[in-house]
RNA sequence: GCGAGAGUGGCGGAAUUGGUAGACGCGCUGGACUUAGGAUCCAGUCCUUCGGGGUGGGGGUUCGAGUCCCCCCUCUCGCACCA
């Protein structure tokens, strides 16, 4: 339709601001538990308040917000909260660099980012906002810590830990990636230190079991967690040490090869390595070796392809045949796994084979495959397959499978070993030698030792008047006034623990606290928590597959076992969204390919940015940022705006189409409207926002054609059908682009907000077509098409196909062998 | 090495149970309107010798394969001396 009078231009800045104020004023995002609707808890991983949002955040939260709004429109009582993962290193670094305080820096960032969230139009219940650095939050974490101490779920030990020198702190195993610090990427070293540990290994079995029940999680994440937990079935076997009363315990998954064990290998950190060599000629050699290997970083040691070791001077006795075997310390044995000692079977383990060849150690073949014995001297590599036992005394002739049970059972009768299960998972080291974290509520007393702070004396508030040393360390040990306290047991002088907790502890339970952020009687208000938990849909990055997502699962189970929560698992369904990339690489300052959300929102408005980030790729996949693609999304909204206003104009006072005869063009649009409702509804349920948006674009394209069709000028149903189409479009687009749609909805004559409107329902009758296109194939290739009545029977379809001119041309003189008819779709003629 | 996932136009990506490959968008080409347009609207846009041929390569199942099966190649991610 010609634009005779100037239509008002789409001005996102003005429209978006106005509607954000409306939503705020009407408090439409507030929710409580008093609802008859089914509850739905939608949560996105909360951000670290780094300063400003990046595109990855925008994508994550746009996906989440679309789901939250959609679920609400579809009749759920939706909890959708936001908060801040506010403790952590960057605040300390920034504070030193800017000569400010981490608290000031953090809270200023929070204020700025909250503003950015509001400008995006995200539907958060801001009454529930929390920041983990608030005492009102971490005080409850300290209480849980003290209770965990009471239950033996926390302990302190002196052990080898991962140390990041740049961050000046210890890291958990999960926080070391490829031998490097997960935050700053610098090489991680091994260091002997005291630290607190959460006994996550107590829950290894349950954590593993539930990975088979979390049907709403991506298989990828579950597999990663299973591998991380690393359950393996095997045996623990005691090897007595020659000339001593004690024994060295080994773990093996191949007890069937026990008779072939001709030496033993210890991890360099194994306490026996030094002890056994003391006083022997090997003493100095072992010390040198342990010292040298021990100083190598994780990564360096893993890179070491060369098997290397040193004889300790001592011998062990193979418990099954009394064979005297030398004990070595070896660089490839991990103290972390099993018992730190390995029964070496060079014939059937490749590492042991290489080691044996290097040091001239004995080989005894005890497993024979279908091709018969290889012969020790012929072996060029270890035979690691299962087979039949030989040279194994009473077990000769047994299969590996049977022997793996029979040998440990036999050992157990004699008290020399047993079948066992080993996990790769280690306890979670939560001590951080940092300032900006929740203080660990423990006290050191010279008389009484280590005691937890009494619950009634909590919280142990982090002193905020600290000045950060420029060296990068924690100021806490220097704060005498804070450190000096009294012993909770004897009342005498004592010192506070100066380690703080890993920030992953805070993020391990924030989701539950959102149910009751104001509760002051304990960590969680049982009633509200159990109403909302578990989270129905969690949305976040894959990078937390074994960090946050494993810790949270553990912590939920701990809280459950303390009676604080009923849920077994925190997150029912998990959506892991892909990264935002530009020019083929993840956006980063160093690559110079960063797109700033503020700038984009300033230029195009939040609706455009949201729409593009949903349209450009399905959620789980990486999204390639494209400035031209953003333009495209913006064009679409402009188009919708113009058509919307045109319909507002021409269909004022007209109701959306309900019934009555329609001319063919209008009937097509009416049908398209209902097809689109069906498609968008189904796609959105499956999180396929990209195709949902594509469907809406198609509908808008068709509206545009009808709107311009002058032959319909006098059609009495024109306005009603156009209104129906535009209303459906606006309603269904509103979860993705909430501002422009509320504005158009309002101009279409509705007072309320789309968030509170009814999601459209498609009419199956409207979908029915009188005629359907049927495809004619010959040998599977399309040779013709025709419009036929939708209810035409198979025989009619067949005859029409055979009668088709093009089809006849292709058949020619050849005999028709077979005809396949698919109702209402195609006819395939085989010749 | 082990495990998981993915290979479709110039690009991002569609194709829900095997049934018209390339929806939608970007880009590009042409046109309309216009003083002008990087606004808007319309048309076209996989290749083609016009017979056909096309979803990383090769084989198979089927009336019919992007989709199912087997082999191979490439890429991404995770784990990586786990005894």
């Amino acid at each position: 339709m010609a634009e005779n009078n100037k239509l008002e231009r789409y001005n996102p800045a003005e429209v978006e601001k106005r509607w954000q104020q409306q939503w705020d004023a009407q408090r439409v995002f507030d929710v409580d538990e008093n609802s008859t609707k089914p509850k739905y808890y939608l949560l996105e991983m909360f951000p670290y308040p780094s300063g400003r949002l990046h595109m990855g955040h925008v994508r994550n939260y746009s996906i989440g917000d679309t789901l939250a709004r959609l679920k609400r429109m579809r009749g759920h009582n939706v909890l959708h909260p936001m908060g801040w993962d506010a403790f952590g290193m960057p605040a300390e670094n920034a504070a030193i660099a800017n000569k400010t305080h981490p608290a000031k820096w953090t809270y200023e960032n929070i204020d700025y980012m909250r503003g950015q969230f509001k400008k995006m139009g995200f539907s958060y219940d801001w009454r529930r906002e929390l920041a983990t650095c608030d005492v009102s939050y971490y005080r409850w974490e300290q209480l849980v810590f003290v209770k965990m101490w009471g239950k033996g779920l926390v302990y302190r030990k002196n052990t080898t830990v991962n140390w990041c020198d740049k961050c000046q702190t210890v890291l958990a195993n999960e926080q070391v990636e490829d031998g490097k610090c997960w935050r700053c990427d610098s090489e991680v070293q091994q260091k002997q230190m005291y630290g607190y540990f959460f006994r996550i290994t107590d829950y290894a079995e349950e954590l593993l079991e539930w990975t088979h029940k979390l049907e709403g999680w991506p298989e990828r994440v579950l597999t990663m967690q299973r591998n991380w937990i690393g359950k393996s079935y095997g045996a623990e076997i005691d090897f007595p040490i020659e000339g001593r009363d004690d024994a060295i315990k080994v773990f093996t998954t191949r007890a069937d090869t026990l008779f072939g064990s001709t030496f033993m290998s210890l991890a360099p950190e194994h306490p026996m390595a030094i002890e056994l060599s003391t006083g022997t000629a090997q003493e100095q050699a072992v010390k040198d070796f342990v010292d040298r290997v021990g100083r190598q970083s994780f990564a360096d040691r893993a890179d070491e392809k060369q098997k290397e070791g040193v004889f300790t001077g001592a011998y062990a006795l193979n418990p099954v045949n009394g064979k005297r075997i030398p004990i070595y310390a070896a660089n490839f044995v991990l103290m972390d796994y099993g018992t730190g000692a390995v029964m070496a079977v060079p014939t059937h383990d490749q590492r042991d084979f290489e080691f044996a060849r290097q040091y001239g150690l004995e080989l005894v073949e005890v497993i024979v495959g279908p091709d018969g014995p290889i012969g020790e001297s012929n072996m060029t590599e270890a035979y690691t397959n299962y087979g039949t036992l030989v040279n194994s005394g009473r077990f000769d002739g047994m299969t590996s499978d049977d022997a793996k049970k029979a040998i440990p059972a036999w050992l157990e009768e004699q008290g020399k070993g047993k079948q066992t299960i080993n996990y790769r998972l280690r306890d979670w080291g939560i001590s951080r030698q940092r300032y900006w974290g929740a203080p660990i509520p423990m006290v050191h007393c010279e008389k009484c030792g280590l005691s937890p702070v009494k619950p009634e004396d909590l919280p142990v508030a982090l002193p905020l008047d600290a000045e950060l040393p420029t060296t990068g360390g924690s100021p806490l040990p220097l704060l005498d006034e804070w450190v000096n306290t009294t012993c909770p047991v004897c009342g005498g002088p004592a010192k506070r623990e100066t380690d703080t907790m890993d920030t992953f502890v805070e993020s391990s339970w924030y989701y539950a606290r959102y149910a009751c952020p104001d509760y002051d009687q304990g960590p969680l208000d049982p009633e509200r928590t159990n109403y909302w938990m578990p989270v129905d849909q969690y949305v976040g990055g894959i990078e937390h597959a074994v960090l946050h997502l494993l810790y949270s699962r553990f912590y939920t189970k701990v809280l459950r076992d303390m009676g604080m929560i009923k849920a077994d698992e925190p997150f029912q369904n998990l959506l892991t969204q892909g990264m935002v990339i530009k020019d083929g690489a993840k956006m980063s300052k160093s690559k110079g390919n960063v797109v700033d959300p503020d700038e984009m929102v300033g230029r195009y408005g939040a609706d455009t940015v949201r729409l593009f980030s949903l349209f450009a790729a399905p959620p789980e996949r990486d999204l390639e940022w494209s400035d031209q693609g953003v333009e495209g999304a913006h064009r679409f909204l402009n188009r919708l705006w113009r058509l919307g206003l045109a319909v507002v104009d021409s269909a004022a006072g007209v109701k959306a189409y309900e019934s009555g005869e329609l001319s063919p063009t209008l009937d097509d649009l009416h049908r398209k409207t209902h097809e689109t409702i069906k498609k968008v509804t189904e796609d959105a349920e499956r999180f396929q926002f990209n195709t949902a948006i594509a469907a809406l674009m198609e509908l808008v394209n068709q509206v545009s054609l009808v709107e311009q069709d002058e032959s319909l000028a006098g059609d009495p149903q024109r306005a009603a059908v156009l209104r129906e189409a535009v209303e459906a479009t606006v309603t269904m687009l509103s979860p993705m682009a909430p501002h422009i749609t509320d504005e158009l909805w309002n101009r279409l004559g509705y007072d309320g907000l789309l968030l509170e409107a009814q999601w459209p329902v498609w009419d199956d009758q409207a979908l029915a077509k009188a005629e359907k296109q049927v495809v004619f194939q010959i040998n599977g290739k399309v040779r013709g098409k025709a419009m036929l009545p939708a209810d035409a029977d198979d025989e009619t379809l067949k005859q029409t196909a055979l009668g088709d001119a093009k089809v006849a041309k292709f058949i020619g003189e050849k005999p028709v062998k077979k005809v396949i008819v698919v109702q209402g779709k195609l006819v395939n003629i085989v010749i």
Side-chain angles (χ1 to χ4, degrees), chain A residues 33-100:
Chain A
E33 300 75 42
N34 304 313
S35 170
T36 52
K37 298 172 181 171
K39 75 98 182 174
Y40 191 88
Y41 184 0
L42 187 127
L43 185 67
E44 304 114 37
M45 291 179 186
F46 67 167
Y48 178 78
S50 55
R52 52 198 318 169
L53 295 180
H54 54 67
M55 275 305 171
H57 288 128
V58 167
R59 186 180 189 202
N60 184 201
Y61 301 125
S62 294
I63 292 167
D65 195 53
T66 299
L67 281 169
R69 287 174 177 269
L70 180 79
K71 284 289 170 186
R72 179 144 169 202
M73 291 177 76
R74 305 213 61 206
H76 290 84
N77 185 33
V78 177
L79 173 59
H80 188 212
M82 182 45 69
W84 313 95
D85 190 11
F87 270 139
M89 280 286 298
E92 291 185 51
N93 296 336
I96 293 166
N98 307 324
K99 296 205 175 11
T100 174

Side-chain angles (χ1 to χ4, degrees), chain A residues 769-772 788-794 796-797 823-824:
Chain A
K769 279 183 180 177
E771 288 196 314
K772 281 188 174 170
L788 293 173
D791 56 359
D793 60 22
D794 286 8
T796 314
L797 291 182
Q823 238 315 270

Side-chain angles (χ1 to χ4, degrees), chain A residues 157-164 169-173 176 188-197 298 336 429-433:
Chain A
K157 71 171 175 187
N158 188 7
T159 184
T160 311
V161 294
N162 309 301
W163 176 263
C164 174
T169 189
V170 166
L171 301 170
N173 287 354
V176 179
V188 169
Q189 304 164 5
Q190 306 305 296
K191 203 168 171 175
Q192 204 70 18
M193 254 181 121
Y194 273 99
Y196 293 84
F197 290 82
F298 244 8
D336 245 15
I430 59 135
S431 276
R432 296 293 177 269
Q433 292 66 37

Side-chain angles (χ1 to χ4, degrees), chain A residues 85-138:
Chain A
D85 190 11
F87 270 139
M89 280 286 298
E92 291 185 51
N93 296 336
I96 293 166
N98 307 324
K99 296 205 175 11
T100 174
H101 191 276
K104 186 167 184 289
W105 184 83
T106 303
Y107 284 109
E108 281 175 3
N109 286 347
I110 287 175
D111 285 340
Y112 186 78
M113 290 170 79
R114 189 190 302 107
Q116 287 187 297
F117 276 127
K118 292 198 172 182
K119 281 189 186 146
M120 288 303 300
F122 295 140
S123 62
Y124 299 124
D125 181 354
W126 285 107
R127 298 171 312 166
R128 295 171 187 264
E129 176 182 1
L130 58 82
T132 57
C133 63
D134 287 344
V135 186
S136 61
Y137 180 81
Y138 69 73

Side-chain angles (χ1 to χ4, degrees), chain A residues 286-451:
Chain A
V286 173
K287 272 190 181 154
D288 290 348
F289 176 77
V290 168
D291 192 50
R292 181 162 55 79
V293 178
R295 250 182 306 151
Q296 274 185 316
S297 73
F298 244 8
D300 284 351
R301 223 200 280 189
D303 279 348
E304 201 75 65
K305 291 283 177 281
Q306 191 66 35
K307 303 279 174 287
E308 203 191 340
V310 61
F311 178 46
T312 60
Y315 290 84
L317 302 170
N318 187 333
V320 86
N321 57 11
K323 191 181 181 72
R324 184 168 178 263
I325 62 175
I327 304 174
Y328 279 74
N331 67 343
F332 64 92
V333 182
L334 307 171
M335 191 58 216
D336 245 15
Y337 185 78
T339 62
V342 178
M343 62 170 225
V345 184
T347 41
H348 306 294
D349 180 282
Q350 186 57 25
R351 292 154 303 182
D352 296 342
F353 179 82
E354 287 168 30
F355 193 86
R357 274 287 146 90
Q358 178 147 349
Y359 294 98
L361 296 161
E362 191 187 356
L363 275 65
V364 177
E365 193 176 5
V366 294
I367 304 290
V368 173
D371 299 333
I374 300 165
E376 288 85 357
S377 51
N378 301 328
M379 278 191 165
T380 53
E381 57 178 14
Y383 181 78
T384 55
N385 291 346
Y386 283 8
T388 307
L389 274 68
V390 295
N391 297 325
S392 297
R394 55 190 297 179
F395 299 100
D396 276 354
M398 212 178 242
T399 64
S400 290
D401 270 322
D402 291 339
K404 279 172 72 174
K405 291 180 200 117
I407 292 179
W410 185 70
L411 288 168
E412 191 163 5
E413 278 172 29
Q414 305 170 53
K416 292 176 181 170
K418 60 172 183 190
Q419 274 200 57
T420 184
I421 288 166
N422 188 62
Y423 298 92
R424 183 182 172 279
L425 182 71
R426 300 291 87 191
D427 278 338
W428 174 13
I430 59 135
S431 276
R432 296 293 177 269
Q433 292 66 37
R434 302 298 324 174
Y435 165 67
W436 192 234
I440 292 177
M442 298 294 291
V443 172
H444 301 266
C445 170
E446 276 191 26
K447 257 170 50 195
C448 314
L450 191 61
S451 318

Side-chain angles (χ1 to χ4, degrees), chain A residues 535-612:
Chain A
V535 172
D536 292 274
Q537 181 66 55
Y538 201 31
V539 186
I542 187 83
E543 66 273 17
H544 285 293
V546 283
L547 282 159
H548 164 60
L549 289 170
L550 185 66
Y551 294 148
S552 295
R553 295 185 55 218
F554 159 68
Y555 210 84
T556 295
K557 292 175 195 299
V558 169
L559 293 174
R560 178 201 61 194
D561 292 346
M562 287 178 180
M564 292 182 179
I565 194 169
K566 282 193 180 145
D568 289 308
E569 286 282 338
F571 315 120
Q572 193 110 65
N573 296 288
L574 174 68
L575 173 63
T576 49
Q577 97 274 357
M579 287 186 303
V580 178
I581 56 179
K582 176 99 193 285
D583 309 322
K586 186 177 178 175
M587 284 188 185
S588 73
K589 277 181 203 151
S590 59
K591 292 206 182 70
N593 60 350
V594 174
V595 178
D596 179 37
D598 274 357
E599 197 195 316
M600 285 292 129
V601 172
R603 196 181 306 169
Y604 302 106
D607 282 342
T608 294
V609 176
R610 293 171 61 128
L611 194 68
F612 174 73

Side-chain angles (χ1 to χ4, degrees), chain A residues 219-276:
Chain A
E219 195 51 43
R220 198 151 77 106
V221 175
L222 294 173
T223 310
M224 279 161 79
Q225 293 212 353
R226 279 179 213 131
N227 290 343
W228 191 261
I229 295 167
K231 180 180 185 176
S232 54
Y233 297 88
E236 250 174 33
I237 301 171
D238 293 326
F239 279 64
I241 304 166
E242 186 187 55
R244 294 173 53 129
D245 288 341
D246 49 351
I248 294 176
K249 206 181 273 300
V250 303
F251 172 77
T252 181
T253 53
R254 290 296 302 272
D256 57 316
T257 66
L258 178 54
F259 283 82
S261 181
T262 53
F263 62 98
M264 178 183 282
S265 309
L266 302 179
E269 294 83 2
H270 198 291
M272 282 306 217
I274 298 279
E275 196 181 321
L276 290 176

Side-chain angles (χ1 to χ4, degrees), chain A residues 683-736:
Chain A
D683 282 359
E685 282 301 324
R686 300 202 315 265
F687 310 148
Q688 295 193 6
F689 306 117
N690 54 333
T691 49
I693 293 167
L696 289 167
M697 286 173 167
E698 283 188 55
L699 179 57
V700 167
N701 288 344
Q702 195 159 331
V703 167
S704 173
L705 291 177
V706 169
E707 217 277 326
Q708 290 175 85
D709 188 339
E710 286 176 15
S711 72
L712 296 170
D715 195 312
Q717 296 280 28
R718 175 183 179 276
V721 173
L722 279 171
R723 179 180 265 271
E724 182 193 32
V726 168
E727 284 188 3
T729 304
V730 164
T731 310
M732 291 189 288
L733 191 66
S734 73
M736 304 159 204

